């Protein structure tokens, strides 16, 4: 269900009367301007790794009677160090990424259509994207289908010039169904398929050679439930992921939004993640140290990227929000950790240092 | 074969969802609670933008929520 | 498809249903269902019937809580929202002022009686629970007159919609809820009465859907020494409002349009800001006869 908050508090209150609601104006009633900030620091025992600070400005405004426009701009400043293989040999890095997203949506009685473009640029990577999406609801608005297509064309020019002017093209498709189950329950099923061709290798890793195709499919199930007794809302989600690198991953997310007096609200959250390793992942052999582990003889594909290893991860976080008048402020603090032993249904990759990140996010929003 | 199974499961889940709801359709005047921002999948003002970006650059899995946007060279 | 106009009497006023139907018989049947719903609501929330929901609640004032059905509870919840939206000016318990103001005989209230009446007003003191309501003080009264007609217009329109009606409107003494435009596609032209000349219109508004309601100082009033005293009373001092001659609002539901137009009248000078903030189209006429209006596209 696209979120359509009624224009007026009286109209919102009138929704609870035994009346068929008036032709619901799907177009958002208010515009919003948001300033967000991310402060991210990851680390492994004994070493800090990547630090990212990223302010982001985003705007959403209704236009005319049936349109809305969204725009956002983000500046990521990245510093720190990243491993050259497995979790060893940290190499310093320093970069800045700027990205802009624009989209336009048209609203009708039972459907919406969106077109958007994105552009992201950093010293070694430029990504251009085009996005099309549509939603279609039934007459009673209890069921709604959504369809999305995302096209990406990326240009890769790594600073170490291991390759020059490489490309990656991705087509993402998604199909979803959102269903109102009761006056307090909303659920969603989303299917995704992605087909990517081009350069997937990490040019900064010592031993890394990945296939030139990467396809993945995802299945996402979400359920939001309002709890009468506390006035809170539980938000649960499960995602299954599998790709052509032979990686299978499970993600389980649980959040609970508890409104508090005076416009405050508190949302604790827990996210559990587990993935299997890529078929061409090379385990860290301690006997090779201090040199990187050699890939198997004759292997056409190999990687020592921690990201493609087998491990489990856990995020624990909490968000504090305050609303007053046309303003709202949100603060979210999260602790993220990856550990090989936490992998479900199998053994994790060996000899990788546990990875941790602390994530702080801020948002200040004004409605107009 | 495995992909077909997954597709069939997803479609089955979708149809089951649809079928459950047709038993007692929710009337428009009962949707007051559903209009609350925390009941939408978009969530709060911070949203999932930063988090999705972080997870897709630190983990192998990505996507799923239909959210779009540019890629990045988050090595 | 022909357009029929079927009048009926309800809520102490002239009402009508205008609709497109294949023939008079089906038009009458549809209008009959709509008017039956209007009468149901009138009887359920009438102050004048001892067995009505409102009378039962009022009779138990100062004594006990009264368990209410879902429809009544929803309306009481909405009344609470009106109270908050108007900063306490729209008060469902202000109907007691009727006892001291006599608009038929044109009599000003006795100051002592008015003061005593004001003590019996206070929506914030009303005790509401999940399934019941209690008026804490004997003599307190609820009066649904402030939104009863608008609610009935919306319910009658729903009945017609459920019967498949696409073109037409329900008009309850000037509170109008439109289902859909004329069968030929053109909007209905709805006239806004001149607050000082009964047979003259100040404007004609084209409406294809939604509701149009008007609150004015000319519906029930008397004049004394060149001063007009109308039936819309400020619950804080029991005095009639003076700033606007009439306020007309166009909103998706009659109960919302009616809430906004009545609150704008009650807010007097601050009413214009309130109308602006509501985001709805409005037409407001002040005491000098000046018209302020705004058309919002929706």
């Amino acid at each position: 269900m696209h979120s359509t908050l009624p224009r007026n508090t009286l109209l919102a209150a009138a929704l609870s009367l035994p009346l068929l609601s008036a032709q619901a104006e799907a177009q958002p009633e208010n515009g919003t301007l948001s300033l967000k900030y991310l402060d991210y620091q990851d680390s492994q025992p004994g070493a800090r790794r990547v630090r990212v600070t990223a302010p982001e400005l985003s705007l959403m405004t209704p236009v005319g009677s049936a349109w809305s426009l969204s725009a956002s701009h983000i500046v990521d400043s990245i510093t720190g160090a990243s491993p050259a293989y497995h979790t060893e040999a940290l190499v310093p890095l320093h970069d800045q990424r700027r990205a802009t997203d624009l989209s336009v949506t048209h609203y009708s009685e039972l459907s919406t259509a969106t077109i958007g473009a994105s552009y992201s640029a950093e010293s070694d990577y430029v990504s251009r994207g085009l996005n099309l999406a549509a939603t279609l609801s039934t007459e009673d608005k209890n069921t709604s289908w959504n369809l999305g297509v995302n096209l990406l064309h990326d240009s890769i020019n790594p600073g170490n010039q291991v390759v020059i002017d490489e490309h990656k093209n991705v087509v993402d498709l998604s199909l979803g169904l959102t269903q109102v189950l009761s006056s307090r329950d909303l659920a969603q099923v989303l299917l995704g398929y992605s087909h990517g061709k081009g350069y997937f290798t990490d040019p900064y890793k010592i031993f890394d050679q990945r296939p030139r195709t990467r396809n993945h499919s995802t299945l996402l199930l979400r359920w939001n439930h309002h709890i009468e007794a506390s006035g809170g809302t539980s938000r649960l989600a499960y995602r299954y992921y599998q790709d052509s690198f032979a990686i299978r991953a499970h993600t389980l997310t649980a959040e609970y939004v508890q409104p508090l007096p005076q416009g405050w609200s508190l949302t604790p959250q827990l996210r559990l993640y587990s993935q299997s390793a890529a078929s061409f992942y090379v385990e860290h052999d301690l006997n090779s140290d201090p040199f990187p582990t050699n890939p198997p003889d004759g292997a056409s594909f190999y990687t020592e990227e921690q990201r493609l290893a087998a491990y489990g991860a856990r995020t624990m976080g909490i968000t504090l929000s305050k609303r007053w008048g046309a303003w709202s402020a949100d603060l979210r603090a999260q602790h993220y950790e990856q550990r090989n032993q936490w992998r479900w249904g199998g053994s994790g990759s060996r000899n990788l240092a546990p990875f941790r990140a602390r994530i702080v996010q801020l948002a200040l929003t004004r409605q107009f | 074969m495995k992909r077909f199974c997954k597709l069939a499961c997803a479609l089955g889940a979708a149809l089951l969802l649809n079928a459950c709801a047709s038993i007692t359709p929710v009337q428009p005047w009962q949707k007051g609670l559903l209009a609350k921002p925390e009941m939408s999948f978009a969530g709060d003002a911070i949203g999932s933008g930063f988090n999705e970006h972080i997870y897709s650059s630190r983990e192998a899995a990505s996507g799923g929520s239909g959210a779009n946007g540019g890629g990045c060279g988050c090595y | 498809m022909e357009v029929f106009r079927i009048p009926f009497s309800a809520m102490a006023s002239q009402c009508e249903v205008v609709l497109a139907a294949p023939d008079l018989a089906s038009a009458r049947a549809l209008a009959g269902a709509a008017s039956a719903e209007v009468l149901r609501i009138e009887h359920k929330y009438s102050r004048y019937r001892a067995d009505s929901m409102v009378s039962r609640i009022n009779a138990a004032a100062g004594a006990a809580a009264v368990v209410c059905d879902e429809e009544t509870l929803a309306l009481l919840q909405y009344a609470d929202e009106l109270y908050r939206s108007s900063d306490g000016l729209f008060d469902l318990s202000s109907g007691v002022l009727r006892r001291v103001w006599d608009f038929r005989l044109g009599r000003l209230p006795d100051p002592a009686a008015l003061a005593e009446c004001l003590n019996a007003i206070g929506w914030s003191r009303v005790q509401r629970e999940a399934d019941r309501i209690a008026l804490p003080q004997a003599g307190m009264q609820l009066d649904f007159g402030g939104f009863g007609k608008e609610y009935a217009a919306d319910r009658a329109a729903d009945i017609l919609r459920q019967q498949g009606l696409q073109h037409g409107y329900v008009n309850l003494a000037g509170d109008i809820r439109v289902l859909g435009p004329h069968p030929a596609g053109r909007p209905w032209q709805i006239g806004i009465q001149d607050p000082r000349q009964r047979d003259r219109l100040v404007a004609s508004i084209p409406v294809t859907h939604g509701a149009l309601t008007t609150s004015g100082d000319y519906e029930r009033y008397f004049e004394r020494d060149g001063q007009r005293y109308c039936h819309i009373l400020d619950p804080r001092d029991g005095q009639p409002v003076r700033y606007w001659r009439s306020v007309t609002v166009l909103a998706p539901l009659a109960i919302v349009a009616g809430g906004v137009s009545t609150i704008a009248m009650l807010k007097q000078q601050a009413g214009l800001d309130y109308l602006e903030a509501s985001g709805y189209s409005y037409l407001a006429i002040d005491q000098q006869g000046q018209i302020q209006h705004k058309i919002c596209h929706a």
Side-chain angles (χ1 to χ4, degrees):
Chain A
M1 244 91 253
H2 41 261
S3 174
T4 59
L5 288 176
R7 175 191 300 247
N8 195 287
T9 50
L10 284 186
L11 187 57
L15 286 179
S16 305
L17 290 168
L19 295 170
L20 300 172
S21 61
Q23 279 130 12
E25 287 165 26
Q27 181 200 30
E29 303 302 343
N30 298 307
T32 55
L33 184 64
S34 244
L35 181 62
K36 298 185 214 182
Y37 185 75
L38 167 73
D39 191 322
Y40 168 94
Q41 171 75 67
D42 64 33
S43 63
Q44 60 189 49
R48 288 178 157 238
R49 284 172 47 174
V50 172
R51 173 107 194 274
V52 177
T53 55
E56 177 182 346
L57 191 65
S58 67
L59 170 74
M60 191 283 293
T61 177
V63 173
S65 60
W67 299 83
S68 74
L69 176 71
S70 283
S72 71
H73 186 73
I74 186 171
V75 179
D76 271 342
S77 294
I78 307 146
T79 54
S82 202
Y85 65 94
H86 293 123
T87 49
E88 314 295 321
L90 298 182
V91 173
L93 63 92
H94 175 84
D95 206 349
Q96 196 179 66
R97 181 182 82 100
R98 283 165 202 272
T100 308
D101 279 79
L102 279 167
S103 79
V104 170
T105 304
H106 174 78
Y107 299 85
S108 307
E109 174 70 36
L110 296 173
S111 64
T112 68
T114 306
I115 186 164
S118 61
Y119 180 80
S120 165
E122 56 204 285
S123 65
D124 56 1
Y125 201 103
V126 175
S127 172
R128 292 174 189 79
L130 178 70
N131 169 256
L132 299 162
T135 70
L136 186 65
S137 302
T138 52
E139 184 78 44
D140 64 2
K141 299 199 167 89
N142 283 338
T143 309
S144 114
W145 293 90
N146 30 295
L147 191 63
V149 177
N150 199 24
L151 303 165
L152 285 175
H153 175 73
D154 298 349
S155 305
I156 304 152
N157 269 300
N160 59 12
Q161 299 190 328
V162 154
V163 287
I164 308 246
D165 222 16
E166 265 288 6
H167 296 285
K168 187 207 291 178
N169 292 310
V170 181
V171 178
D172 268 321
L173 301 168
S174 75
L175 175 66
L177 171 69
T178 310
Q179 180 70 52
V180 171
L181 293 175
S182 81
S183 59
R184 288 201 275 280
D185 291 277
L186 191 60
Q188 190 178 63
V189 177
L190 268 173
L191 256 161
Y193 179 72
S194 170
H195 170 65
K197 267 177 107 115
Y199 187 71
F200 286 94
T201 301
D202 184 335
Y204 301 107
K205 299 279 188 279
I206 295 179
F207 287 123
D208 200 293
Q209 195 67 42
R210 303 182 200 178
R212 288 194 72 89
T213 305
R214 186 179 191 180
N215 302 329
H216 71 243
S217 329
T218 52
L219 170 65
L220 177 69
L221 302 169
R222 295 203 267 207
W223 175 41
N224 289 353
H225 173 71
H226 185 264
I227 299 164
E228 188 79 45
S230 61
T233 302
S234 70
R235 300 159 59 83
L236 301 172
Y238 167 74
R239 177 189 62 179
Y240 174 74
Y241 169 96
Q242 73 179 34
D243 70 7
S244 56
F245 286 2
I247 298 176
R248 268 149 196 57
H250 303 272
T251 315
L252 208 56
T253 316
E255 276 186 351
Y256 176 71
V257 183
Q258 177 63 63
L260 299 167
Q262 313 294 342
W264 291 91
S265 82
L266 204 60
T267 306
Q269 62 153 197
L270 178 68
R271 177 182 182 272
L272 299 173
Y273 177 82
S274 169
Q275 70 174 50
S276 63
S279 59
F280 50 88
Y281 175 76
V282 177
E283 288 280 347
H284 184 191
D285 181 359
L286 292 171
N287 295 325
S288 292
D289 281 359
F291 300 106
T293 309
N294 282 319
D297 281 333
S300 10
F301 304 121
Y302 43 88
T303 183
E304 291 173 6
E305 162 70 76
Q306 173 184 26
R307 235 164 289 187
L308 301 182
Y311 60 82
R314 183 184 70 195
T315 312
M316 294 199 293
I318 191 151
T319 309
L320 180 65
S321 305
K322 167 94 168 127
R323 279 192 157 76
W324 71 102
W327 294 87
S328 76
D330 303 77
L331 176 65
R332 184 183 296 169
Q334 295 168 307
H335 176 80
Y336 176 76
E337 194 161 340
Q338 279 178 6
R339 279 201 217 163
N340 313 330
Q341 322 84 285
W342 285 352
R343 189 210 158 170
W344 307 331
S347 54
S349 296
R350 294 183 304 279
N351 308 320
L352 288 176
F355 174 86
R356 281 192 198 93
R358 69 120 185 87
I359 309 163
V360 176
Q361 300 173 58
L362 270 165
L364 187 63
T365 309
R366 187 180 203 283
Q367 286 197 334
F368 55 85
Chain B
M1 187 59 206
K2 223 173 178 163
R3 189 195 299 178
F4 174 76
C5 280
K6 211 193 52 94
L7 196 66
C9 279
L11 210 56
L15 291 170
L16 189 66
L17 210 58
N18 210 342
C20 284
S22 348
I23 297 171
T24 45
V26 177
Q27 300 300 326
W29 60 83
Q30 296 171 308
K31 293 189 183 168
L33 292 170
L34 297 171
K36 284 172 174 280
E38 58 262 34
M39 281 297 284
S40 79
F41 290 115
D44 59 23
I46 292 180
S48 54
F50 285 140
N51 276 122
E52 287 306 312
H53 186 94
I54 291 166
Y55 294 135
S56 53
S57 57
R58 289 287 149 232
E59 296 169 349
S62 65
S65 62
N68 46 72
C72 74
C74 304
Y75 293 119
Chain C
M1 278 271 164
E2 230 187 286
V3 174
F4 297 94
R5 183 178 299 262
I6 317 280
F8 63 96
S9 274
M11 308 217 159
S13 25
Q14 261 308 105
C15 307
E16 66 181 357
V17 176
V18 173
L19 45 77
D23 52 56
L24 185 59
S26 39
R28 282 221 177 101
L30 285 166
S35 61
E37 177 65 8
V38 174
L39 289 168
R40 177 190 78 80
I41 292 166
E42 183 185 354
H43 295 163
K44 186 173 179 185
Y45 297 111
S46 166
R47 305 184 304 259
Y48 306 112
R49 297 172 74 103
D51 58 344
S52 76
M53 196 68 227
V54 162
S55 297
R56 284 204 286 131
I57 295 171
N58 292 345
V66 175
V67 174
C68 306
D69 62 300
E70 268 196 45
E71 181 180 40
T72 307
L73 292 169
L75 285 169
L76 291 169
Q77 177 60 37
Y78 187 70
D80 188 64
E81 186 60 48
L82 287 169
Y83 180 81
R84 280 186 277 133
S85 181
S86 63
D87 299 315
L89 289 170
F90 191 110
D91 191 321
L92 215 64
S93 64
S94 61
V96 288
L97 287 168
R98 223 182 318 111
R99 287 196 220 124
V100 295
W101 282 94
D102 192 326
F103 290 98
R104 250 175 314 150
L105 296 176
R107 251 211 301 261
L108 287 168
D110 167 59
L114 180 63
E116 202 188 308
C117 229
L118 290 174
N119 282 335
I121 297 174
W123 175 255
S124 54
R125 291 188 281 139
V126 169
Q127 293 148 0
R128 281 187 316 128
E129 280 160 69
D131 63 344
R132 62 195 68 191
I133 185 167
L135 301 176
Q137 180 185 322
M140 279 186 91
Q141 273 191 8
L142 292 186
D143 177 4
F144 280 48
F147 58 38
K149 202 149 34 99
E150 291 87 339
Y151 176 64
D154 284 327
R155 285 285 303 187
D158 281 356
I159 301 274
L160 293 172
R161 166 86 76 215
Q162 279 167 344
Q163 304 279 352
L165 193 73
Q166 310 262 38
H167 310 280
Y169 61 86
V170 176
N171 179 354
L172 303 183
D175 290 335
I176 298 168
R177 171 72 190 280
V178 180
L179 276 154
H182 195 277
R186 58 174 192 275
W188 304 101
Q189 291 291 347
I190 300 182
I192 298 182
Q193 196 194 308
D194 183 329
R196 293 293 179 263
Q197 282 182 267
R198 198 162 289 271
D199 49 4
R200 212 182 134 253
L201 297 177
V202 291
S204 189
I205 314 282
V207 184
T208 55
H209 62 271
L212 194 74
T213 63
T214 305
S215 294
D217 68 357
Y218 55 89
E219 294 158 54
R220 255 181 305 151
Y221 69 96
F222 63 88
E223 278 175 327
R224 182 132 312 200
D225 304 321
Q227 184 70 263
R228 179 174 290 231
Y229 299 86
C230 76
H231 76 291
I232 300 176
L233 305 165
D234 187 325
R236 297 170 303 185
D237 59 8
Q239 297 298 322
V241 297
R242 293 237 152 86
Y243 193 83
W244 300 104
R245 284 188 183 170
S246 77
V247 175
T248 303
V249 172
L250 180 66
L253 296 172
I255 200 168
V256 173
V260 175
S261 58
T262 305
I263 292 174
M265 287 288 294
L266 285 162
K267 280 188 168 260
Q268 307 206 54
Q269 187 145 26
L272 197 59
D273 286 341
Y274 183 78
L275 289 169
E276 282 289 319
S278 75
Y280 296 127
S281 302
Y282 65 84
L283 191 146
I285 307 173
D286 66 19
Q287 284 305 333
Q288 281 68 49
Q290 297 273 62
I291 300 176
Q292 315 264 13
H293 74 277
K294 180 161 175 178
I295 313 287
C296 301
H297 291 288

